[in-house]
Amino acid sequence: MDLQTLSFLTVGSTFALYIGIAFWARASTTGEFYTAGRGIHPVMNGMATAADWMSAASFISMAGLLAFKGYAGSVFLMGWTGGYVLLAMLLAPYLRKCGKYTVPEFIGERYASNTARFVAVLCLIVASITYVIGQMKGVGVAFSRFLEVPFEIGLFIGVGIVLIYAVLGGMKGITYTQIAQYCVLITAYTIPAIFISIQISGNPIPQIGLFSDITGTGTPLLEKLDQISNDLGLAAFTAQSDSMLNMVLYTLALMIGTAGLPHVLMRFFTVPKVSDARWSAGWTLVFIAILYTTAPAVGAMAYFNLIGTVQNVDAIGSSNGNLEYSERPKWFQNWEKTGLLRAAPPYPTGDTPAERAAREKVDSFLAANPQAKAVFEGEGAQRRLVFLDKNGDGRIQYYNDTNKAYLQTAASYGWNGNELVKVDRDIMVLANPEIAGLPNWVIALIAAGGLAAALSTAAGLLLAISSAVSHDLLKSMLMPNISERNELFAARLSMAGAVIVAAILGLNPPGFAAEVVALAFGLAGASLFPALLMGIFSKRINNHGAVSGMIAGLSATLLYIFAYKGMFFIKGTELIANHPENWIFGIAPEAFGAIGALINFSVAAAVSAMTAPPPQEIKDLVENIRIPQEH
Amino acid sequence: MATSNREHNAYWRANLKIVAVLLFIWAFVSYGLGIILRPYLSNIKFGGTDLGFWFAQQGSIYVFVILIFIYAAAMNRLDKHYGVDEIDKSG
């Protein structure tokens, strides 16, 4: 069976499964819609939370990030898992005890303030919407690449599926579909990893294979990767390339951001008891760890295979050590078509000044390189791709041509610049099965897995948004007398609205779509996490402290991110160029959430100390949520 | 079982102690072994690299999982000890 038919079958059957679950697990009360009636088994909730948490970015992009960043990528591994320790020990059991429906509701209750609740709703909506755009894009991309369905139609199909099961089932339907989606995505992720680990190290467990010798040689994989990187002028794979302070703060920012993300926290409202919330957090991390400990192996091994395709790693510098462009494998050509992998950029045909300048450059290059011109006019002419064969040897060189210390070595090899001009990180997972020559059904699985990851996270985020709108804004602030039936209807309506907004933003993704993840984590880490933590662990923090702390932490973080990335991410409005040399104490904008949280804590403590302590009933409330037993 | 305020305070202090110990280990394996102490451990070789790299990309995650389960078990025992555990609704 050919790949496309197989992909359609795999994706189609998983979608049929999700729809089936949606009809089976319909929600009939607001309790079921917001918290699945608090009847989810802790292990099942763990699985659903894992799927909720692991997004298209975890599934598709993380391994690539680890491949190209090596050791520096560890911040994502530790940050996105370590946050669950904070969540399990500092937040989840107490939020469950409080017995509310939403995260802003807890904040509003604890600080007896609608202002605090409103600020929390605002943080939640901005963080969730920015996050959901990425998922929608992931859905469209998975469809267009694997099923060869146009991006827009892919997006509509994905949105339609989410619409059905999220609107019908609310938290109940979403939970059961997420359990199914976890099974799909983890199978899709681990099977290719096991295959590739056996190929490279002979060990079927990728977590062990990563630290094993390459089959047939006595050299460990990681040592070999360090050596290849060194031979090609790239930073050594396992070397420390980032400042230590920045790594620590980056990890911390991701950890507190993870612990403060409302769509994850609200999943712990669904288990029956406080003790279940504790166990459930542990199970969540087990299910996440299966993917997260596999990812570094996938990254390193796929990277090793990719370099090995272009460069004979045992003959670096020899004249026939590089891949001939005309002999590049089929998968290389397939991914060239998507523009994610490029030795040959498309011939610039546009009429903008930038395109004209690029065309002039390519034309003069072709005039000076007869061999490249011959290739371009032969095969490349129909495809309008120009292999920029900078040294005219007909072969592809991949090395770091921005490393000045390496230039002389490169020149002695007769190399005249890096010729693999684009390798998108995402292809490390997506193209991995093809690079390793795995059977078609494994490739088809990747499509279903990527879609499961994107859809499960999108549904969780949409639920967080819709419950904030219907429960926190409508029921509590605007229409306190709304009946349960009408609130349920409003919840469904706002869910449908959120899905449509997400679809529109997914179709016209703002230019900053890739950068907003920093914003989502910054918001959650610098505003929501401290407010929740102080609400549980301090009886002295009052509403003035909490509100001013949240606003201070939030504004400081936003200012720092916008200063380097542009106001509201608009290019050209940066106050200072986003370059490590310009960062204050070398702290990346993405890592600033940790400082933002610190500001939040300090301001909240100072303002609370200067104002009256919270009334007795708030102290009783805090006392009550600290004790699991019901009174 | 009725519990006095003093017992609740003792329960809360014991809870904070458990969390403090576990969070110390949490920080030690990730920020410690994985990042800050890595240069000092670089002579401990492990699978083609050093121990710090393993902790940063594998070890800390395994420890995180174990920590949460230890926490859940310790807290459930603490709840019973102070008589503040939940009545099992399933009977």
Side-chain angles (χ1 to χ4, degrees):
Chain A
M1 217 182 306
D2 74 329
L3 177 60
Q4 208 182 341
T5 323
L6 263 174
S7 303
F8 269 113
L9 274 178
T10 320
V11 171
S13 49
T14 58
F15 277 20
L17 177 68
Y18 306 153
I19 302 270
I21 293 172
F23 281 97
W24 170 68
R26 289 186 304 274
S28 46
T29 62
T30 49
E32 286 187 344
F33 194 90
Y34 294 136
T35 64
R38 305 200 199 273
I40 305 292
H41 188 276
V43 179
M44 293 293 118
N45 183 55
M47 215 178 254
T49 312
D52 194 323
W53 166 244
M54 291 190 286
S55 59
S58 292
F59 189 92
I60 296 172
S61 308
M62 196 171 57
L65 214 61
L66 291 163
F68 286 95
K69 285 181 174 265
Y71 171 71
S74 312
V75 297
F76 300 103
L77 291 170
M78 291 188 286
W80 285 337
T81 54
Y84 280 89
V85 179
L86 297 177
L87 183 137
M89 298 183 192
L90 304 177
L91 304 178
Y94 307 106
L95 294 184
R96 172 61 194 85
K97 175 62 200 296
C98 192
K100 298 294 171 224
Y101 282 153
T102 70
V103 173
E105 187 180 11
F106 171 82
I107 291 182
E109 198 86 358
R110 161 62 182 82
Y111 296 111
S113 153
N114 264 348
T115 321
R117 190 171 184 171
F118 186 72
V119 175
V121 168
L122 217 61
C123 290
L124 181 153
I125 291 184
V126 175
S128 301
I129 285 194
T130 51
Y131 212 137
V132 91
I133 299 171
Q135 309 311 317
M136 289 298 157
K137 205 176 146 236
V139 169
V141 167
F143 266 106
S144 60
R145 215 161 295 156
F146 287 99
L147 305 174
E148 292 174 33
V149 170
F151 181 90
E152 292 78 13
I153 296 184
L155 193 118
F156 283 131
I157 298 173
V159 164
I161 302 283
V162 176
L163 195 69
I164 294 172
Y165 71 72
V167 170
L168 261 183
M171 182 58 110
K172 194 176 167 200
I174 287 174
T175 302
Y176 289 109
T177 22
Q178 281 174 336
I179 293 168
Q181 283 161 339
Y182 177 78
C183 298
V184 171
L185 79 87
I186 203 68
T187 313
Y189 203 82
T190 46
I191 287 184
I194 291 170
F195 271 116
I196 193 176
S197 180
I198 293 174
Q199 276 181 358
I200 290 183
S201 70
N203 194 315
I205 302 168
Q207 287 85 344
I208 299 176
L210 176 62
F211 297 92
S212 304
D213 293 352
I214 299 166
T215 315
T217 72
T219 320
L221 171 65
L222 289 170
E223 199 179 304
K224 186 78 184 170
L225 271 176
D226 275 348
Q227 184 204 324
I228 297 169
S229 314
N230 189 39
D231 289 349
L232 293 173
L234 302 153
F237 192 76
T238 65
Q240 166 106 28
S241 53
D242 225 351
S243 94
M244 209 173 262
L245 175 71
N246 188 46
M247 267 191 92
V248 167
L249 289 178
Y250 206 141
T251 309
L252 188 60
L254 294 178
M255 282 184 179
I256 59 177
T258 303
L261 280 177
H263 75 284
V264 176
L265 279 174
M266 71 189 298
R267 288 230 43 97
F268 291 90
F269 298 149
T270 66
V271 293
K273 292 188 298 174
V274 174
S275 55
D276 293 333
R278 298 177 187 143
W279 289 120
S280 195
W283 285 110
T284 301
L285 193 54
V286 168
F287 294 122
I288 292 173
I290 297 174
L291 190 143
Y292 273 50
T293 54
T294 307
V298 171
M301 290 174 183
Y303 189 52
F304 178 72
N305 272 351
L306 180 78
I307 296 186
T309 304
V310 176
Q311 168 77 57
N312 178 346
V313 293
D314 295 315
I316 291 172
S318 115
S319 60
N320 55 5
N322 294 86
L323 176 72
E324 270 190 71
Y325 182 72
S326 55
E327 285 176 5
R328 65 201 188 288
K330 188 86 181 67
W331 64 262
F332 196 112
Q333 299 176 29
N334 287 343
W335 286 93
E336 264 184 317
K337 281 183 217 157
T338 65
L340 294 181
L341 178 69
R342 268 191 196 141
Y347 186 77
T349 50
D351 210 30
T352 62
E355 286 270 288
R356 272 200 297 270
R359 189 158 55 237
E360 257 169 47
K361 230 167 120 185
V362 171
D363 284 340
S364 70
F365 171 82
L366 289 175
N369 292 279
Q371 282 131 311
K373 191 160 191 234
V375 173
F376 173 62
E377 285 174 348
E379 161 198 37
Q382 300 100 41
R383 306 239 321 275
R384 310 303 293 169
L385 295 172
V386 195
F387 172 44
L388 291 179
D389 188 5
K390 295 171 185 164
N391 63 346
D393 66 349
R395 293 168 186 273
I396 307 169
Q397 274 86 41
Y398 175 61
Y399 69 100
N400 183 5
D401 57 5
T402 57
N403 179 354
K404 292 203 172 66
Y406 187 74
L407 287 182
Q408 214 174 357
T409 317
S412 75
Y413 294 156
W415 294 353
N416 198 18
N418 176 34
E419 296 172 359
L420 194 61
V421 287
K422 178 160 184 192
V423 191
D424 191 288
R425 288 167 179 169
D426 289 354
I427 73 168
M428 285 298 140
V429 165
L430 298 176
N432 179 17
E434 290 170 89
I435 300 177
L438 301 182
N440 272 351
W441 64 268
V442 179
I443 305 171
L445 259 183
I446 291 277
L451 283 168
L455 292 179
S456 57
T457 305
L461 290 162
L462 292 165
L463 183 69
I465 298 170
S466 75
S467 52
V469 170
S470 62
H471 193 66
D472 291 310
L473 291 183
L474 197 67
K475 162 100 180 167
S476 303
M477 296 182 193
L478 302 174
M479 297 168 66
N481 296 324
I482 190 169
S483 70
E484 161 151 353
R485 233 187 109 208
N486 285 341
E487 189 190 346
L488 184 61
F489 178 70
R492 292 206 156 108
L493 206 65
S494 53
M495 172 72 83
V499 175
I500 290 163
V501 170
I504 292 170
L505 288 171
L507 280 179
N508 313 293
F512 53 79
E515 297 179 332
V516 292
V517 176
L519 183 70
F521 279 87
L523 289 169
S527 66
L528 293 174
F529 176 78
L532 292 168
L533 188 71
M534 291 183 293
I536 298 161
F537 285 83
S538 161
K539 289 185 202 166
R540 184 61 185 81
I541 301 292
N542 60 20
N543 56 340
H544 303 294
V547 172
S548 40
M550 277 166 90
I551 291 173
L554 195 64
S555 350
T557 309
L558 280 181
L559 187 70
Y560 196 81
I561 294 177
F562 286 165
Y564 290 99
K565 300 203 167 211
M567 294 300 145
F568 299 94
F569 301 104
I570 296 162
K571 289 267 168 285
T573 58
E574 298 90 349
L575 300 179
I576 184 164
N578 188 17
H579 192 272
E581 282 153 30
N582 292 336
W583 295 342
I584 300 171
F585 297 117
I587 301 168
E590 289 84 356
F592 195 79
I595 306 286
L598 198 68
I599 294 172
N600 184 336
F601 284 124
S602 323
V603 169
V607 172
S608 296
M610 286 184 288
T611 45
Q616 189 57 41
E617 68 246 36
I618 296 291
K619 288 181 182 159
D620 291 343
L621 174 89
V622 176
E623 198 64 53
N624 181 37
I625 59 172
R626 289 178 178 182
I627 307 289
Q629 197 175 54
E630 293 293 338
H631 286 290
Chain B
M1 184 172 151
T3 39
S4 71
N5 235 347
R6 186 189 289 174
E7 264 186 68
H8 278 178
N9 284 340
Y11 167 78
W12 185 245
R13 272 200 305 277
N15 170 3
L16 291 182
K17 213 155 125 195
I18 292 173
V19 171
V21 170
L22 295 176
L23 284 188
F24 174 80
I25 302 172
W26 163 82
F28 180 73
V29 293
S30 51
Y31 301 105
L33 297 179
I35 302 176
I36 298 166
L37 299 176
R38 187 182 177 216
Y40 306 98
L41 299 170
S42 58
N43 50 350
I44 308 177
K45 292 290 162 216
F46 185 90
T49 174
D50 52 276
L51 195 65
F53 183 89
W54 183 80
F55 264 101
Q57 301 219 332
Q58 298 277 319
S60 56
I61 303 176
Y62 301 130
V63 176
F64 293 158
V65 173
I66 296 166
L67 287 177
I68 300 184
F69 280 103
I70 293 177
Y71 168 78
M75 287 305 290
N76 287 354
R77 264 184 45 198
L78 197 70
D79 290 354
K80 281 208 180 66
H81 181 77
Y82 282 91
V84 294
D85 52 330
E86 301 145 288
I87 297 104
D88 199 342
K89 282 169 194 160
S90 60

